[in-house]
Amino acid sequence: MTKPEDPNRVLLFDTTLRDGEQSPGISLNKTEKLEIAHQLARLGVDVIEAGFPIASPGDFAAVEAIAREVEGPIICGLARAHAADIERAADAVRDSQRPRIHTFLSTSDIHIEHQLQSTREDVLGQARAAVAHARALCDDVEFSPMDATRSDVEFCASVLQAAIEEGATTINIPDTVGYATPLEYAAFLRRLYELVPGLHDVVLSVHCHDDLGLAVANSLAGVQAGARQVECAVNGIGERAGNASLEELIMLFRTRSADLGLHTGAESTEIARTSRLVSRLTGYPVQPNKAVVGRNAFAHESGIHQDGVLKERSTYEIMDARSVGLEGNDIVLGKHSGRHALRQALEELGHRLDGAALNHAFQRFKEIADVKKQVTAMDLEALVTDELRGQAAVYEVEWFDVEASTRRPPHATVGVRTPEGEVVEGSFTGDGPVDAIFRAISAATGIDARLREYRVGAVTGGEDALGEVSVVVELGRPGDAVKTDIPGVLDGERVTGAGQAVATDIIAASATAYVRALGTAVRRARVAAEDRVAAGTATP
Ligand code: KIV
Ligand code: ZN
């Protein structure tokens, strides 16, 4: 891509489907990736990094489908600095109207010595060859010196010089391990501009990880030093602590545009919908106090703040909830609301439900309205999200019994519907009611799993709030208690899966979240096994 004519335009490069998808427990299938990519196009991002095509046939197919179907943004495929990776990325993005290859190679001595087991000289030559090869296949090529911020700046500059000579159109400077501070990061970029004058003729990009909570601050510092592309992910997901959060960057440039003098091309009212979609499909909940998209981001708790906002919004609000597409937590429906009112309220929230889907949602709405006096927009969102998660579920909880008392260990019995439609039963006496039901589910399905994460939250405040449960499980064979007959799992391999569920009863929500997490993990194991067969490294 050539540099935009407007020097104040900051390009948004979204890597939710690549770096974001590398978060533990996330496994998106092609349809889910396409849905997210279409929504990112509606949000107005400039570049979608759709995946890492050489990683697996599934990744390749998803990048190819996005390149064919999603119009507007540049569609980018990631490739290591190897000919085979670059060719695979080129094949995957070929059908996009605006294809890009993003190739990367480490430049820090730590990586060169320990990971690549190479030398600076070889890295320089390999980077040059990789960019030249990519440019022969695609006009738009991005190059990243991985672990740039821990590299010797002069060596990094010589690699960038070579990349630019070979035709790279965007140079991205990753703070791969999230170690830099804003002043250091900006100084690093300024020094690169001094050492490589050709950097002024390409788009300089920032890619910051959040290990020290500085990803957005570092990205801003980079932009203030001259970068005009920010790499980021929806809800800040990504390797380890994640990437800079897309929604925070959009609102930062919008809210402070008068002072920064910069802007993006985003349609900010699509932010909330994008965030909810990614949370639902990845199973990664958004923390309540998350900037911009957390459910408390626009809530005022203290009396003084509420008083101020009632008198004049700007006393305590720097952004309008409507500008990010969040309508707040207004009461929309009550116990006596009918199907028509529910349909209309859902439509206002951007969900069109008809026929059987509406009937099912109405039935669940009535169950909630029986327990809760007031059903809010947030409750409805949670309900719809839960309905959609349920449609994608592999296993379903049909019924359960839990006996819990302070005098006997809790005992659970469950009936679980399998993908084949059979209802299998299991029982277990556990350490607590949730432990008992999780183990009863494992006994019923024959799938043993370790519980990696278990979180319970409330959708809204109040005693009658809906409970929201998030579970991450791990299948696999580290050589001890976990069962060994899970199809597709190799010795030593770790397969994780995440699931979320919402219900008025926490035990019910926990059981449903657990079977959804199991379903995700099993699906991932199957996809990995199929990919191995397709790649010729395993037999069917
Ligand atoms: O963090 C990183 O260095 C990356 C590169 C592939 C750009 O994600
Ligand atoms: Zn990264």
Side-chain angles (χ1 to χ4, degrees):
M1 180 183 191
T2 47
K3 274 183 94 162
E5 275 174 20
D6 178 353
N8 301 324
R9 171 84 145 78
V10 179
L11 301 169
L12 295 167
F13 176 112
D14 180 90
T15 187
T16 306
L17 297 175
R18 200 279 298 168
D19 213 319
E21 224 239 351
Q22 288 171 217
S23 314
I26 295 185
S27 125
L28 298 166
N29 61 31
K30 188 168 96 181
T31 317
E32 291 166 337
K33 287 184 182 175
L34 264 167
E35 197 179 344
I36 292 176
H38 279 296
Q39 180 56 28
L40 288 169
R42 277 192 286 274
L43 177 63
V45 305
D46 299 283
V47 188
I48 295 175
E49 186 163 53
F52 193 3
I54 195 124
S56 70
D59 266 49
F60 180 91
V63 178
E64 186 182 52
I66 292 169
R68 288 183 177 161
E69 275 189 40
V70 178
E71 288 176 13
I74 291 170
I75 307 299
C76 172
L78 184 70
R80 286 166 301 185
H82 301 309
D85 278 46
I86 292 167
E87 285 154 23
R88 200 80 178 126
D91 284 346
V93 297
R94 172 163 301 128
D95 292 336
S96 167
Q97 287 165 347
R98 305 172 70 199
R100 174 179 294 184
I101 299 173
H102 175 191
T103 185
F104 68 97
L105 184 61
S106 293
T107 51
S108 70
D109 288 333
I110 307 176
H111 281 209
I112 295 175
E113 190 185 331
H114 301 291
Q115 189 175 14
L116 303 176
Q117 298 182 332
S118 182
T119 60
R120 286 189 180 190
E121 199 185 353
D122 283 351
V123 163
L124 179 61
Q126 196 182 338
R128 184 183 282 286
V131 174
H133 192 45
R135 257 320 286 265
L137 301 171
C138 185
D139 287 342
D140 188 344
V141 172
E142 172 168 332
F143 175 74
S144 292
M146 184 143 111
D147 204 19
T149 50
R150 293 193 301 168
S151 308
D152 170 45
V153 70
E154 294 190 356
F155 175 64
C156 184
S158 63
V159 174
L160 300 187
Q161 175 69 36
I164 293 170
E165 280 166 14
E166 297 304 329
T169 43
T170 297
I171 294 289
N172 177 48
I173 308 298
D175 182 29
T176 302
V177 292
Y179 184 69
T181 63
L183 290 182
E184 277 169 9
Y185 191 58
F188 193 81
L189 264 54
R190 288 202 183 94
R191 184 74 185 122
L192 288 177
Y193 270 125
E194 282 165 13
L195 294 168
V196 189
L199 264 185
H200 291 281
D201 305 325
V202 299
V203 176
L204 184 65
S205 168
V206 293
H207 178 110
C208 300
H209 279 272
D210 210 29
D211 299 66
L212 294 173
L214 291 172
V216 170
N218 282 340
S219 302
L220 174 63
V223 168
Q224 289 178 314
R228 285 295 177 268
Q229 174 178 283
V230 285
E231 301 203 353
C232 46
V234 177
N235 299 334
I237 61 173
E239 276 282 353
R240 306 180 311 280
N243 287 85
S245 137
L246 169 68
E247 56 282 358
E248 291 175 26
L249 286 165
I250 293 173
M251 290 315 285
L252 168 62
F253 292 118
R254 188 187 146 111
T255 310
R256 300 303 306 271
S257 72
D259 307 285
L260 297 172
L262 299 166
H263 59 94
T264 70
E267 176 47 73
S268 68
T269 54
E270 290 292 331
I271 285 179
R273 191 165 302 157
T274 315
S275 161
R276 287 191 298 256
L277 178 70
V278 169
S279 171
R280 169 162 65 77
L281 295 182
T282 57
Y284 265 46
V286 174
Q287 77 197 52
N289 59 328
K290 165 86 174 60
V292 180
V293 288
R295 87 171 69 97
N296 297 344
F298 295 88
H300 300 280
E301 186 71 12
S302 106
I304 298 175
H305 289 212
Q306 286 179 1
D307 175 55
V309 167
L310 286 174
K311 289 176 177 146
E312 164 55 45
R313 279 201 170 272
S314 61
T315 50
Y316 289 96
E317 270 187 17
I318 58 163
M319 295 175 272
D320 184 340
R322 278 168 304 188
S323 67
V324 301
L326 265 180
E327 299 306 322
N329 196 22
D330 308 321
I331 298 158
V332 286
L333 296 176
K335 191 173 170 169
H336 302 292
S337 306
R339 198 182 309 258
H340 181 67
L342 174 69
R343 188 168 185 270
Q344 218 170 349
L346 289 172
E347 255 183 52
E348 272 170 38
L349 294 169
H351 305 285
R352 183 179 286 274
L353 257 59
D354 285 304
L358 179 64
N359 289 344
H360 198 249
F362 186 63
Q363 195 186 325
R364 287 200 64 193
F365 161 72
K366 282 289 177 195
E367 284 162 20
I368 294 169
D370 268 349
V371 181
K372 291 194 84 201
K373 286 188 259 343
Q374 300 163 332
V375 179
T376 65
M378 215 77 94
D379 292 323
L380 289 181
E381 277 290 355
L383 190 148
V384 173
T385 298
D386 200 60
E387 283 290 300
L388 294 167
R389 280 192 203 118
Q391 284 165 20
V394 180
Y395 296 95
E396 274 174 61
V397 178
E398 279 289 302
W399 53 264
F400 68 86
D401 273 323
V402 176
E403 295 155 24
S405 93
T406 50
R407 290 179 297 174
R408 278 185 304 281
H411 183 76
T413 312
V414 289
V416 178
R417 186 171 293 279
T418 66
E420 292 74 37
E422 190 193 347
V423 176
V424 289
E425 294 184 14
S427 300
F428 204 87
T429 302
D431 292 336
V434 172
D435 179 56
I437 200 157
F438 286 178
R439 287 166 182 259
I441 291 169
S442 287
T445 55
I447 300 171
D448 208 350
R450 275 193 187 71
L451 186 62
R452 287 259 309 255
E453 262 180 59
Y454 173 68
R455 262 171 294 140
V456 185
V459 171
T460 50
E463 281 173 14
D464 57 1
L466 281 181
E468 182 163 45
V469 174
S470 298
V471 166
V472 178
V473 297
E474 180 180 296
L475 311 177
R477 306 183 185 188
D480 50 26
V482 169
K483 228 172 133 85
T484 53
D485 56 356
I486 300 157
V489 179
L490 295 180
D491 277 339
E493 187 184 16
R494 301 274 168 109
V495 183
T496 55
Q500 282 176 293
V502 164
T504 45
D505 177 323
I506 286 300
I507 302 283
S510 301
T512 304
Y514 189 77
V515 294
R516 287 178 184 172
L518 279 187
T520 310
V522 167
R523 194 182 72 196
R524 287 190 93 183
R526 285 205 192 109
V527 170
E530 282 162 19
D531 284 350
R532 280 193 286 267
V533 171
T537 54
T539 43

